[in-house]
């Protein structure tokens, strides 16, 4: 991984991204998955080796405490983190200076820092978000080759639940005729419920392609699932919005499960919760349902 000296480390929305790494496989083509600019990242990736120093300077200068949003643009726990340890150093600083944290990661390496996540959550708030798209290990590795195995991510979610760390899951990516089976989604939702999530949402059941990436997507699709390129073209033609045929049934299933188990499924409310800083030393401990009292009536 290429090392760089960054000039700044926090975005205007308090986003922290230590690493820049490409996504691989079919998901890298899905515009809805937030992959803008991914193709411009060097193949070997980049690491901001001075991230802890920059972060400490930024945290010292802040007049008000807030949530630090970690990993929104790139995986904060790539395999290189085992060598660099930059994520752990940054979490220590967030903990020391009394800031909160929301971590978006699909890596089981996150459990290495469970002690710091718990420490942050005792003082303020710490939340974690992962993505899942199938309960099937082999299919999951095909669709998300750069993420930890499905079973490993579920182990992370169970560990977070047991440690009292609020966790959410984004159901993504979903590809027509690949992982859009109703029974498979029901099984996936079942394991999510068992993980004790507070939030469960999706970005739409289907794929959105950019015009320039349509042909490369079909080549990758054919390589992963022979014959599916022709099947897609027959069904969708030249469309770039590839919505799964049974998306309404899948949406209804998600809403029913979330309502029955009192799991928030509205993205805007999940994001509000993730961004809401609390100061437990001052007795301020707002839950998701205190932020949105009507959420106790179910997710409708």
């Amino acid at each position: 991984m290429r090392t760089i000296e960054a000039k700044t480390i926090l975005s205007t929305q308090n986003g922290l991204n230590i690493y820049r790494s490409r996504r691989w496989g079919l998901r890298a083509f899905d515009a809805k998955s937030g992959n803008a600019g991914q193709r411009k990242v060097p193949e070997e990736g980049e690491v901001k080796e001075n991230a802890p120093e920059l972060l400490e300077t930024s945290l010292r200068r802040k007049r008000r405490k807030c949530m630090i949003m970690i990993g929104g643009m790139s995986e904060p726990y790539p395999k290189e983190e085992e060598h660099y340890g930059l994520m752990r150093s940054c979490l220590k600083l967030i903990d020391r200076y009394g800031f909160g944290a929301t971590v978006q990661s699909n890596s089981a390496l996150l459990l290495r820092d469970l002690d710091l996540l718990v420490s942050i959550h005792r003082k303020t708030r710490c939340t974690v978000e992962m993505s899942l798209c199938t309960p099937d290990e082999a299919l999951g590795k095909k669709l998300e080759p750069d993420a930890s195995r499905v079973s490993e991510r579920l182990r992370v979610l169970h560990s977070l639940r047991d440690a009292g760390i609020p966790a959410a899951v984004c159901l993504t990516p979903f590809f027509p005729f690949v992982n859009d089976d109703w029974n498979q989604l029901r099984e996936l939702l079942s394991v999510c419920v068992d993980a004790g999530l507070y939030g469960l949402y999706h970005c739409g059941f289907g794929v959105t392609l950019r015009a320039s990436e349509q042909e490369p997507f079909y080549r990758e699709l054919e390589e992963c699932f022979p014959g599916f390129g022709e099947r897609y073209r027959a069904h969708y033609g030249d469309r770039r919005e590839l919505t799964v045929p049974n998306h309404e049934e899948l949406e209804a299933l998600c809403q029913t499960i979330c309502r029955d188990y009192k799991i928030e499924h509205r993205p805007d409310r999940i994001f509000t919760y993730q961004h809401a800083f609390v100061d437990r030393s001052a007795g301020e401990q707002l839950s998701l349902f205190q932020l949105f009292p009507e959420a106790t009536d179910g997710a409708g």
Side-chain angles (χ1 to χ4, degrees):
M1 192 169 257
R2 180 190 303 175
T3 59
I4 61 172
E5 285 280 330
K7 294 182 179 179
T8 60
I9 196 63
L10 289 182
S11 71
T12 56
Q13 299 298 314
N14 299 308
L16 171 64
N17 290 281
I18 302 167
Y19 300 93
R20 293 182 71 216
S21 53
R22 280 194 183 187
R23 282 181 177 160
W24 300 99
L26 289 173
R27 187 178 185 183
F29 294 96
D30 183 8
K32 284 188 296 191
S33 294
N35 295 319
Q38 283 284 318
R39 295 287 165 180
K40 299 177 183 177
V41 177
E43 273 199 30
E44 68 272 26
E46 294 178 341
V47 53
K48 301 171 185 176
E49 59 181 352
N50 59 334
E53 293 82 1
L54 291 175
L55 179 62
E56 183 164 23
T57 299
S58 295
L59 296 183
R60 280 178 170 173
R61 289 175 176 173
K62 283 192 174 293
R63 295 183 179 180
R64 297 182 62 182
K65 302 292 177 63
C66 63
M67 297 292 288
I68 306 299
M69 313 303 292
I70 305 172
M73 297 299 294
S74 192
E75 172 60 56
Y77 286 100
K79 63 182 185 298
E80 289 82 5
E81 168 62 15
E82 293 188 55
H83 168 71
Y84 289 107
L86 296 173
M87 180 63 179
R88 185 164 181 84
S89 295
C90 288
L91 286 174
K92 286 181 178 178
L93 290 168
I94 291 169
D95 185 33
R96 182 191 309 166
Y97 286 96
F99 285 76
T102 287
V103 183
Q104 294 184 34
S105 172
N106 285 326
S107 172
L109 183 57
L110 177 143
L111 285 183
R112 180 202 65 185
D113 297 335
L114 185 59
D115 59 328
L116 291 172
L117 303 183
V118 169
S119 181
I120 292 169
H121 194 60
R122 285 198 193 107
K123 302 169 188 174
T124 59
R125 171 179 287 149
C126 182
T127 73
V128 173
E129 181 179 313
M130 289 192 145
S131 72
L132 288 169
C133 64
T134 176
D136 183 86
E137 289 281 17
L139 182 57
K141 202 60 186 172
K142 270 191 171 184
L143 296 180
E144 297 183 282
D146 44 10
S148 289
R149 295 176 66 87
V150 173
S151 58
E152 293 175 331
R153 278 180 274 173
L154 290 175
R155 177 169 57 88
V156 171
L157 292 172
H158 289 161
S159 298
L160 293 169
R161 175 200 63 196
D162 296 343
I165 303 294
V169 161
C170 179
L171 299 169
T172 185
F174 273 82
F175 297 96
F177 318 123
V178 175
N179 63 326
D180 58 348
D181 178 75
W182 190 93
N183 289 316
Q184 188 180 87
L185 178 61
R186 186 170 185 84
E187 182 181 348
L188 178 60
L189 292 172
S190 178
V191 298
C192 286
V193 168
D194 187 53
L197 305 176
Y198 79 87
L200 182 65
Y201 73 102
H202 63 86
C203 300
F205 291 109
V207 186
T208 300
L209 300 174
R210 300 179 186 87
S212 62
E213 296 190 335
Q214 196 167 14
E215 288 305 318
F217 170 80
Y218 277 108
R219 286 197 298 269
E220 182 76 19
L221 177 68
E222 191 64 27
E223 184 175 331
C224 291
F225 303 97
F228 273 62
E230 183 179 343
R231 187 175 181 183
Y232 270 45
R233 291 187 187 281
H235 189 88
Y236 294 104
D238 291 329
R239 280 182 282 170
R240 296 200 295 272
E241 287 283 346
L242 313 181
T243 304
V244 304
N246 60 336
H247 67 95
E248 292 180 351
E249 295 176 10
L250 301 185
E251 174 65 34
L253 175 61
C254 283
Q255 291 196 21
T256 297
I257 294 295
C258 288
R259 181 181 64 247
D260 290 349
Y261 290 94
K262 292 184 169 55
I263 301 173
E264 181 55 66
H265 81 283
R266 287 160 287 197
D268 58 333
R269 301 195 172 203
I270 293 171
F271 299 158
T272 295
Y273 180 73
Q274 291 173 339
H275 283 80
F277 177 82
V278 297
D279 183 355
R280 299 189 194 281
S281 65
E284 183 186 358
Q285 301 186 40
L286 291 177
S287 69
L288 176 69
F289 298 118
Q290 287 172 309
L291 282 170
F292 302 106
E294 69 273 24
T296 54
D297 296 330

